[in-house]
Amino acid sequence: MSRCLPCAVWKKDSKQLFPLLLAEEHYRVKVMNRTEFTLPLMLSLLMASAPLSAAEPVDTDGVDAVLQGFDQPAAQSSDAVDSVLDGFDDSSGAGGGDEVDQVMDGFDEPIETGVASTPVAHNSRWQLSGSTILSTAYNYAHDAPASGQTDYRGLSRLRAKLNLELDGDLSKNWQAHIAGYVLHDFAYQINGREQYSDEVLDENESEYELGEAFVQGELNSSLDLKLGRQIVVWGKSDNLRVTDVLNPMDNREPGMVDIEDLRLPLTMAKLDYYVGDWGFSALAIPEIRFNKNPVYGSEFYPFPTPMPDEDIPSDGGDNTEYALAANGVFSGWDLSLYWAQLYDDNPHTVSTPSGPELQHSRLTMSGLAANAVIGSWLLKGEGAHFSGLEYSTLPGKTKARTDSLLGIEYNGFRDTTLSLEIANRHLHDYEVVLSNEGVEENEWQSAVRYTGDFLHARLHLLALYTAFGDDAKGGGFGRLSAAYDLQDALTVTGGLVAYQEGDKIPFNAIGDNDRIFIDVKYSF
């Protein structure tokens, strides 16, 4: 016989044995490898042979008789216990096997207890999850449009979106993840599709896309591999981008979504090696993909005429992007070092025999980022140096730029976070002609953020303000929102986004895009 109760339990003070058996539901006895049942069930089966009426008094003398000897010290009752357990330690081939079989006869059959048996749960190797989102927005600051222009007053979004994610185990050390979404915006049909440009309808009315889709696993105890479409976040900032350069962004509706939800996945191979406090990553990115920007005719498009055609390099081969990272995590602080060869997400205009064309420069980037915790304060710092930058007004020339960021975050209030981040982008060997395309020698950007959780973490408040220029004259936006969890799976979010007009693109043209929004999200 094998039993999960250790022998020491059987030799405990006998007064504690029965309470232990009655309270503990997890100890099991497996006899002769034939059946398994809990000890409380054994007691109930034994007692079932002499049931007591609820109206009858309990025969305490009989119980005392049954328990007779349990009050004796273990040394005095060991013979009795050994007698009761005699034969249970013998193998099935030893003497007494037939008697045990007779005693256990019938336990292999289902027991009619009147209580539905609980089926054994088996975890599936694959799990499907996702969410549905109904998102609405209403523009309240637009003036009446001129004749022939699109009227963006009133309803600007009535979007239904379905997100799906599939996760599964391929083996003990390898997992797979596939995500994607499909959406349709009914606002265009409600407002009249004929007033929108073809570019706007093609880009914004309906969309479906494969999101992150990868396999990952361990090659050995120190080496991991991840293959497929991924999002890799560099840097420490929550609001501004300095070293976070790998994934392009969805900029079609600036200010409406947090930066963490704006990154677009890229197909890449990522190799991670861990030793001590350090982790090292090497990445090869064959998929060439750039920012999604507002298209001509959109309410966020800042120019009066369409942009030239864009030259997008083919995937793979010599166009493959490469990146290296080293991340160290220590007591109270961490440090990251970065290097990458990649294409500039922001194109410049080049004159070609067939006319002007948008092209993307090949850049080399090196940078670092660090965090340090001091009490309730978190200090952040990032720096990056870019070489190979090209501009429309300086054909044939390349420039270098150094970006830096300092940030501070305070978590001393309960369920509340306050943060301030300031970034500077300094262009080396600046030439005045660059001002014709809105490029300055020093470009400043700042972000102030407040987040708070209330009502037992069911109400989530957010206030964010981002501005460009050392005096905020470049423009910016502010967002106020409140999200309330009606249920664990159902969240309603409402808020306001207000744009500040300025002299920096695109804020020179979108100052009247202020709007209120309501989103309803159900997760499953």
Side-chain angles (χ1 to χ4, degrees):
M1 176 188 72
S2 69
R3 58 178 178 261
C4 295
L5 277 172
C7 295
V9 172
W10 296 97
K11 297 181 185 239
K12 282 183 178 285
D13 187 338
S14 58
K15 290 182 179 180
Q16 300 180 10
L17 180 59
F18 265 70
L20 174 65
L21 298 181
L22 294 171
E24 179 55 69
E25 296 181 357
H26 298 293
Y27 287 128
R28 294 175 178 271
V29 174
K30 190 171 184 180
V31 181
M32 305 301 296
N33 294 322
R34 294 185 57 182
T35 189
E36 184 174 80
F37 54 97
T38 62
L39 290 175
L41 178 59
M42 293 175 59
L43 296 177
S44 65
L45 292 173
L46 292 174
M47 296 174 67
S49 60
L52 295 175
S53 170
E56 295 177 358
V58 178
D59 185 1
T60 57
D61 293 337
V63 173
D64 290 339
V66 173
L67 297 178
Q68 184 177 4
F70 279 88
D71 289 332
Q72 302 299 325
Q76 298 178 9
S77 59
S78 60
D79 294 340
V81 172
D82 291 340
S83 176
V84 172
L85 298 177
D86 186 34
F88 277 83
D89 289 329
D90 295 336
S91 64
S92 59
D98 294 338
E99 289 82 358
V100 172
D101 286 343
Q102 293 175 6
V103 172
M104 302 305 298
D105 188 30
F107 277 103
D108 288 333
E109 303 298 327
I111 301 174
E112 295 291 336
T113 63
V115 179
S117 59
T118 303
V120 178
H122 297 283
N123 293 329
S124 172
R125 293 171 60 92
W126 294 90
Q127 181 175 359
L128 180 66
S129 61
S131 63
T132 57
I133 304 173
L134 180 61
S135 178
T136 65
Y138 182 90
N139 296 2
Y140 63 85
H142 272 291
D143 294 329
S147 177
Q149 292 184 339
T150 303
D151 188 356
Y152 280 109
R153 294 176 297 175
L155 182 68
S156 64
R157 177 197 289 180
L158 183 59
R159 179 184 299 167
K161 184 178 182 180
L162 172 64
N163 299 294
L164 292 176
E165 296 186 16
L166 180 64
D167 294 276
D169 296 328
L170 301 177
S171 66
K172 179 180 179 181
N173 296 322
W174 287 85
Q175 299 82 38
H177 173 84
I178 303 174
Y181 69 83
V182 59
L183 65 83
H184 184 80
D185 197 331
F186 297 92
Y188 297 99
Q189 185 173 359
I190 294 173
N191 294 334
R193 299 178 77 253
E194 65 279 357
Q195 69 167 318
Y196 299 97
S197 66
D198 292 339
E199 293 90 341
V200 169
L201 294 175
D202 291 342
E203 185 71 18
N204 299 327
E205 185 177 27
S206 296
E207 186 174 66
Y208 60 90
E209 182 170 342
L210 176 68
E212 287 193 277
F214 54 79
V215 294
Q216 63 178 351
E218 298 179 2
L219 298 179
N220 57 45
S221 59
S222 301
L223 197 62
D224 294 345
L225 180 63
K226 191 174 182 180
L227 298 172
R229 265 199 159 188
Q230 308 170 44
I231 292 176
V232 178
V233 180
W234 280 3
K236 312 301 180 182
S237 170
D238 295 322
N239 307 294
L240 309 179
R241 301 187 84 195
V242 171
T243 58
D244 183 25
V245 296
L246 294 184
N247 292 92
M249 306 286 284
D250 188 343
N251 297 323
R252 290 175 292 180
E253 295 178 305
M256 288 291 292
V257 185
D258 253 8
I259 187 174
E260 63 184 29
D261 298 318
L262 295 177
R263 297 181 182 93
L264 304 175
L266 287 173
T267 302
M268 62 181 75
K270 183 172 181 281
L271 192 66
D272 294 312
Y273 176 72
Y274 304 96
V275 54
D277 296 326
W278 287 89
F280 301 90
S281 300
L283 302 94
I285 308 172
E287 182 181 9
I288 306 303
R289 191 181 190 192
F290 300 116
N291 293 339
K292 287 185 176 181
N293 294 316
V295 297
Y296 176 67
S298 163
E299 58 187 321
F300 289 101
Y301 185 79
F303 306 110
T305 58
M307 296 292 288
D309 292 336
E310 184 177 10
D311 178 26
I312 299 179
S314 58
D315 295 335
D318 294 337
N319 296 327
T320 299
E321 300 175 329
Y322 299 97
L324 300 172
N327 300 283
V329 180
F330 314 99
S331 178
W333 67 287
D334 57 71
L335 174 67
S336 298
L337 306 174
Y338 306 116
W339 175 90
Q341 274 195 347
L342 69 169
Y343 284 99
D344 190 354
D345 281 321
N346 299 309
H348 61 283
T349 304
V350 175
S351 296
T352 68
S354 58
E357 183 179 75
L358 295 179
Q359 295 184 0
H360 295 265
S361 306
R362 183 82 173 190
L363 306 180
T364 299
M365 173 267 193
S366 56
L368 58 85
N371 275 337
V373 178
I374 303 176
S376 299
W377 298 88
L378 176 63
L379 306 180
K380 306 177 183 181
E382 295 187 34
H385 182 78
F386 298 87
S387 60
L389 291 163
E390 297 182 80
Y391 296 92
S392 304
T393 54
L394 292 174
K397 288 187 178 182
T398 60
K399 295 288 183 178
R401 192 185 73 222
T402 300
D403 297 356
S404 57
L405 176 143
L406 291 176
I408 187 169
E409 185 175 298
Y410 182 69
N411 298 279
F413 302 118
R414 181 179 178 181
D415 299 325
T416 298
T417 300
L418 300 170
S419 66
L420 169 66
E421 296 174 354
I422 300 175
N424 173 262
R425 296 173 175 85
H426 175 74
L427 185 62
H428 301 279
D429 300 324
Y430 182 78
E431 299 183 38
V432 177
V433 68
L434 291 170
S435 62
N436 294 333
E437 54 182 302
V439 178
E440 300 178 2
E441 183 176 10
N442 287 286
E443 296 186 351
W444 293 89
Q445 186 179 4
S446 58
V448 181
R449 184 186 187 98
Y450 160 83
T451 59
D453 294 332
F454 301 93
L455 302 179
H456 303 289
R458 298 185 72 89
L459 176 64
H460 316 281
L461 301 183
L462 168 68
L464 172 66
Y465 175 69
T466 297
F468 291 85
D470 55 355
D471 53 4
K473 291 184 178 180
F477 67 87
R479 183 169 77 248
L480 299 173
S481 68
Y484 185 74
D485 300 327
L486 296 175
Q487 301 174 359
D488 290 341
L490 183 61
T491 300
V492 177
T493 303
L496 163 73
V497 179
Y499 297 91
Q500 176 187 336
E501 188 172 352
D503 53 20
K504 183 174 178 60
I505 300 172
F507 298 101
N508 60 331
I510 66 171
D512 57 354
N513 282 352
D514 302 345
R515 63 198 57 211
I516 57 176
F517 65 90
I518 297 177
D519 298 340
V520 180
K521 180 179 180 180
Y522 178 76
S523 302
F524 54 88

